[in-house]
Amino acid sequence: MASIPLFPLNTVLFPDGHLPLQVFEVRYLDMVSKCIAADQPFGVVALLAGAEVRKPDQLETLSEVGTLARVVDWDAPLAGLLHVRCVGAERFRLRASERLKNGLWMAEVRMLAPDKVVAIPPELQNVANALGALIRSLQQRQIAAAKMPLAPPFKLDECGWVANRWCDLLSLDVGQKQRLLVQENPVLRLELVQDLLSENGLLLE
């Protein structure tokens, strides 16, 4: 098991997902600065109860499964403010967690196995095709890479990657995204995404 600092958020980070953050609370400025200096990740977990910004006597409930976040770019435009861009890495499960006096959460975690590389089955190909069409549309609009909601390499032939990118893009509540994150079978996760896309009229038959 590994011990890592946590950043509880009202969102869910998926492996290979991109997460921009504005960091201004002292506990997280210190934590993120140390992670940058040591080239170490921190853990992103979804908040099931409580708020991102610390309040007196606030109780926070953390999701049991989260994702490591690695900082790939950062800048400090003002004293006491960090802009960071993170990429999701491995998923983990909380084994034990503790909130320190300064409000920072630390946790003992067990890393979860990455998705198996599974090719897109024919009956799910329309999900990958729709994502490919969206990527081409964004590229044609010449959106800057830093502002793209997803980044290469584009693994449009892998169930897990395609499912996770749709999980990033769809307007789902935290509970829905968390259920998709903990789904260990990438084919089943992609089937669930296909259902969501169909319900919203986002798939071409």
Side-chain angles (χ1 to χ4, degrees):
M1 288 194 299
S3 179
I4 60 170
L6 299 179
F7 204 141
L9 294 169
N10 292 318
T11 190
V12 176
L13 176 63
F14 286 81
D16 294 321
H18 283 240
L19 177 69
L21 291 172
Q22 280 199 125
V23 184
F24 54 87
E25 284 193 78
V26 173
R27 55 177 170 165
Y28 295 132
L29 284 169
D30 183 57
M31 180 265 283
V32 172
S33 296
K34 288 178 178 177
C35 288
I36 291 170
D39 193 23
Q40 294 292 321
F42 55 88
V44 171
V45 290
L47 273 169
L48 301 181
E52 292 180 351
V53 178
R54 189 182 183 192
K55 299 175 182 177
D57 302 321
Q58 172 182 266
L59 295 177
E60 296 166 345
T61 304
L62 311 180
S63 300
E64 291 186 1
V65 174
T67 304
L68 291 182
R70 298 188 180 278
V71 177
V72 294
D73 192 20
W74 66 275
D75 69 279
L78 298 169
L81 177 65
L82 273 178
H83 289 167
V84 297
R85 285 198 303 119
C86 307
V87 172
E90 300 91 340
R91 293 173 300 169
F92 59 83
R93 183 175 295 276
L94 297 184
R95 307 298 292 176
S97 57
E98 176 189 14
R99 190 170 70 174
L100 306 181
K101 289 182 179 180
N102 67 352
L104 182 69
W105 283 91
M106 295 292 297
E108 297 287 336
V109 302
R110 177 173 62 85
M111 304 311 301
L112 300 179
D115 282 338
K116 293 180 180 178
V117 176
V118 183
I120 307 287
E123 65 273 16
L124 296 174
Q125 187 61 49
N126 60 349
V127 184
N129 291 346
L131 185 61
L134 175 61
I135 291 171
R136 287 192 296 276
S137 173
L138 292 170
Q139 290 173 332
Q140 288 167 359
R141 289 159 58 189
Q142 298 183 329
I143 296 173
K147 294 185 178 180
M148 286 273 282
L150 66 175
F154 301 131
K155 303 174 187 177
L156 290 167
D157 56 349
E158 291 184 17
C159 283
W161 190 89
V162 171
N164 289 349
R165 299 297 68 78
W166 276 120
C167 291
D168 292 336
L169 294 165
L170 288 170
S171 296
L172 306 175
D173 64 40
V174 169
Q176 287 176 300
K177 290 198 175 193
Q178 189 66 27
R179 286 189 289 274
L180 289 162
L181 180 71
V182 302
Q183 174 52 247
E184 295 184 4
N185 185 330
V187 179
L188 181 52
R189 193 184 314 130
L190 191 60
E191 289 176 354
L192 295 170
V193 167
Q194 185 184 54
D195 291 342
L196 290 167
L197 290 170
S198 295
E199 290 169 8
N200 290 278
L202 297 173
L203 283 182
L204 297 175
E205 298 300 330

